[in-house]
Structure formats: structure tokens, C-alpha cells
Amino acid sequence: MSGLQPGVWYAIAAEHDLPKDHVYRTMLGGHELAAWRSTDGAVHVWEDRCPHRGVRFSLGEVVGDELRCQYHAWRFGKTGACTFIPAQPDLKVPRTIHAAVWPVALSAGLVWSGIEPTGAPPELPPGAVLRAIPIARAAASVAHALVKEPLSGLALVLQPLDETATIVRGIALDDDLVRADHALLALRRRLEQAA
Amino acid sequence: MILYDAHHLAPCYAVRLLAGCLGVTLELEPLDVYPGHANQTEAFLALNPLGTLPVLVDGPCIITDWLEALAHLALTHDRAWFPAEHAALIGWLGMARDLGASAGAARLIDTFGAPGDAAAARAQANALLDEVERRLWFSERGFSERGFGERIGQDWLIEGPHPSIADLACFVFIAPCEDGGLSLRDRPALRRWCDRVRFLPGFVSMSGVFPPMANTGR
Amino acid sequence: MTPVDPILWNDWHPVAARCMLDPARAHETMLLGVPLVVTINADGTIAVQRVDHAAPHQDERYGLVWVCLGTPTREILPIPEADEPDRPIVVVGSVGVRASGPRVIENFLDLGHLGYVHARYLGDDPHTRVLPYTVEPLPEGGIIATQCKMFQPQASPAATEGFMVDYIYKVERPLATCLYKANPVQRDRFDIIFLIVQPVTEETSIAHPLLLCLPDGTTPAALRAFQQTIFMQDKPILENQVPKRLPLADGAELPIAADKSSVAYRRWLSAIGLTWGVIRADEKARAA
């Protein structure tokens, strides 16, 4: 659990990563996160862990406006509250049973979250949302490499997965997603092949 | 049609999965491969000297290669699953074999104690998974294999509205790859594609690949 | 070097099944972090060695090879039913899983998932309600859950229709559990399934299921296939539980009434002082 500054918005997904009826899975600063969209289009970001026995929500399924855990099919509504427990179908589920909800903001075609983020997410210039590229290096190393050799035509943000890996996200200002992809893959090769 | 089968072997699953999607009934002859080694008996080796599963028997036809079995079922029941006009079909079927030798092997080593170097298998698999992820992502964005231009987003490995045997052949190794210590966490396009395969009408599961949950009205 | 949990260090654990061993290839495995090599020669003699060639305490029972790395405080888990002449032992085949041993045992005890993870085999929507059952301590240590009932569409390969099945679960050692299931044909006798977990590392295990079922025409191959199918359905669930080690603190996870066995199992592990594969109540949770 490091490298995650409170008060900061981090990009954790692209809006196109969240189609209907799908649970998206990622990590931020060592915290595992699950994200999904309810039928009204709203995005929900939760700790990727069912409070019952700790099974990842991302193994589960979205059905309408509920996420069902794959283990015992407990159902969780948009607010994160558990709404139904099949093993005890007559139980009025106590309010204490809920997902751990993270803040969400949508901006620049990306989904943002963080620990008590303040204000709005960083503004990005218009363009096409890139394919996110994971790099097996700490965010500081990736940032340093981008300062040393900036990639032209790209507005980039970093998502620290944990201490050893980072996802690079952002926008291609000229909409050339293929060129951007090549540039990021080249960056990845340079960083991962170095010591 | 008879399928000599072992439930947990991905190539067997591929044939059962296609049969499910086609609505075709297979008579299953299960073999106790692990730990029974039933695929190494004289009787089975007479049927398939390579000792591999599955073997599909359709009348006089004995098909000992699982990709050929997929092609045979598609060609005899629904050619939409066999887009012969796309050279990419061959490339993807080759990718499926490579996934079997890497991701599939890692799964068998870690789960059933099969012989092999799991770390090497995983290293190979990671490179392949990254490539499938890249191509699927661009497919979803509407980029065709041959040129780039805005098109409608594609759901499947091969351009067109219909899944093909290439999707199923790759799916049976990609969907359970975490059994072998790989991860789909940073491969969101693969995860979306796996869901699309799981929601196909007639989808059947293999233990460890979750079918859509019941009572979901899909 | 931190000493390994003495409870497990000085107990017997399975490390291989005889039927898996091959004279042409030594079987490499690991127990409590210690690499082991298991060999079988042409005349069927099995030997277990540590990497430094020392031989730990070893024995064979129920078709499994057992090892104690320390000094055994008791004998290998007794299975009295193994001596019944009309009850063959079927070794299912070992399955590796990236989960801690206690997580694997706890999953075996769980009734609420049978209708979901094992849908159409061991339970089914909408019969997924878990009826109240009883859990008590065993006099020699461990727990026993009785009066467990579940509607099962196909409780075993021989069953031709669904019916309410009576279960009894026992946990007699931290990593050994068994289930007594009413036999579908001889309704007054039980089929028995043992799950004995080999602790490889604190976060990885090998499950060794054993079946002691009354013969009913089902072949051993079919029995194995059924049990393997069940375990392979549990595998991704187990591998996606966070944290990996089983949290023992009350309130770390949220049990409901249906989880009585799991609660009792965790409390028993706390009471005996197990440290392997668990996060003790007084320990700050390490990252998963």
C-alpha cells in the first residue's frame, strides 16, 4: 500500500472498459478495485472484495443494477449495500453488510478514483483515449523516463498498481491510436529490459 | 458422434463448447486421464497412436486433432463458425495451439502435477496474452486486420458479426489461465471478450470457467 | 530462520499419491516450505527425501504417501471406515491450488455455495436456502457439524433424481476434513469423502481427496471425475479469496447463521494456536 497520495484523483479505467453487464478489475496503490456500470450509466468503484469471505467481486457478475458475488451469490446494489443473501432468503440484510465504496469521477473519457480526492480530476486535452499499457516498473521510474524522453502528441497519466507496476493511460492528441500504442510499447520495452 | 473426452482438458472442452453452441449432441466417452492414464492403454492407442484427447468419431471419420474436430463440426453444421475467406483464421488457430503449449501447459503443471517448466510456460504465455489483448482491443475500437478506419466495433477475433472456432479455440486456454498462475487483471479486453463468449447461446462450462449465473434473465 | 508452526511441523501430511508416481520420473513437491523428492522404483518401493538427502518420517496409508518433518506427536489420521471390506478407497488425484490450507478446508465445510459454485451437481437455484444445523466440538479436538441438509439434483454419479441429502462434516486435524453423505441407494449408510490438504507454502496447497463410497456400480473413474469436477469448480473461488491466509479475528469477515461450521473452524484454529496459513486475531493483517 504505497505511492498513493490522499487527495489525488488517479485514472483507473477508460469509460470504454465498462460495458453493460461486466465487472472491470484493476489495482491502485496496492488496493484491488472492481468497477461496474449500473443501468443508468453510473460507474461504481468498490474494493474488489466481497465482505462475506473475501472473494473478489470481479469474479462475480452484474445483473441489472446489482453485482452478484460468484461464491454465494450475495447481491449488492448500486450503493454498495448487500440486498439479498440466498442462503437465508428471508433475512432482512443488516446495513453493516456492504461493499467498501471508493469515490468516482468521470472525465476525459477516463474513470478516476483515489483516497479522499479533492476537487476535480486533472483536465486532459481532447483526443482519443489510448489503450492502457501496463509496465512492470514503479510509477516513479515511468515518470522519470517520460521526463527524460517525452512522447510527443500524447497526454499521459500514470496509475500506480503497486510498488512494482504502473499502468500508463491518456489521450492521443492526433487521434492516432496505433502510433500511440507503438510508442508506449516501445517505452515499456525500454523500461522492462533495463536493469 | 462420439467424443473421447476428459472434462478438464481444454482441447476436449473446445469441442464440447462448439457442440453446445451449434446445438449438436455428442455422445461422451470419458477417459480417466488423471491419475488413471486411460489414454495410454493399448485400446486407446489403437484409436489414436499419439494418445491425445479429444478424439471425435463421426461415422467412419476418426479425427484425432482437436482443431480439425472443431473445423469438422463447423463445416458440417454451421459454416458461419468457419470464416474460410479470412486468412486470419489460420493465424488464430495457430495462436490457439501456442496458447495450449504455454498457458494450457502451465495450468496442467500447477493443477495436476504434469511434467514441465511452469515458469517458462508462463513467460511464453504472457507474451501471447499481451498480443491477443492488443489485437482484441484494436478490434473493439473498430480497426480491421488489414487497414485502419472507423468501423463498427468488433466483438470477435475475426472480423465480422459472428464468433468463429478461433474464438473458442483460444478461449479454452485463456478463460482458465489463472489456474496456471497467469492473470487477466491488466488485460481488460480479454476479460470483456471472455464474458462475450460465456454469454453465447448454448455456452457450456468446464469446471473452473463460470457459466453465467442462474436466474439472471439473459 | 523462523520456526515453522509446530502444530503442523510435528504432524503427518500427505505429499503424493501412489498412483501418481512413476519410476521414470522423480516427483518433486514441497511441504511446509521444505522441498521434497518422492521416488518409486520398479518394485514399487516409495522413498521420500529432503533435498539434503535426509529422510523424514514417512509412511503410506490409504494410497497416499505421508511425511512428518518434525517429530510425530500422534499417528497418521485414522480412518476406521478404511478397514470396512465393502468400502474401497478411491484416490481422486491431487490438485494444486493457490490458496492457504485453512481456506481450502473451510470451503469444504461451506453449504451456501453448493447451489452456485456446484450448480446442478451439489445444489441448485432456487433450493439454496441453508437450513439450520448443529456444530459441536469433538472430544479429541476439532469440530463436527450434523443435521446438515441440502437439496441436491445429482449428489453422486449414481443418483438418478434429486433428493434432500443429509450431511455430517468433521474436522479432526487442522488440514483434514471429511464429509459423511447419506448413500443414495443404502439410505441408512454413508459415503465418505475425505479432503486432506498438503500445506506447500502458507499461500499454496495441494488437495488430496479420498473417496470411501459404498459400491453402487459407479466406476472409480467416474467417482474420480465427479470429485475432480467439484474441486476444479472450487479452485478459482479459493484462488480469488483475499487475503490469502484465513483471518481468525471475529469480524474480519462477515459470517451469517449458515456459516456456523466456518466460525467454529476458525475459533478452533485460534484456540489451538495455529499460525500457518492464518492471520491470527492479534496479528496486524499483512498485505494479501
Side-chain angles (χ1 to χ4, degrees), chain B residues 28-59:
Chain B
L28 298 182
E29 271 294 328
L31 273 83
D32 177 16
V33 171
Y34 178 80
H37 303 301
N39 55 324
Q40 278 151 32
T41 59
E42 288 299 318
F44 188 75
L45 291 172
L47 185 68
N48 179 10
L50 289 177
T52 58
L53 284 166
V55 173
L56 180 68
V57 178
D58 187 1

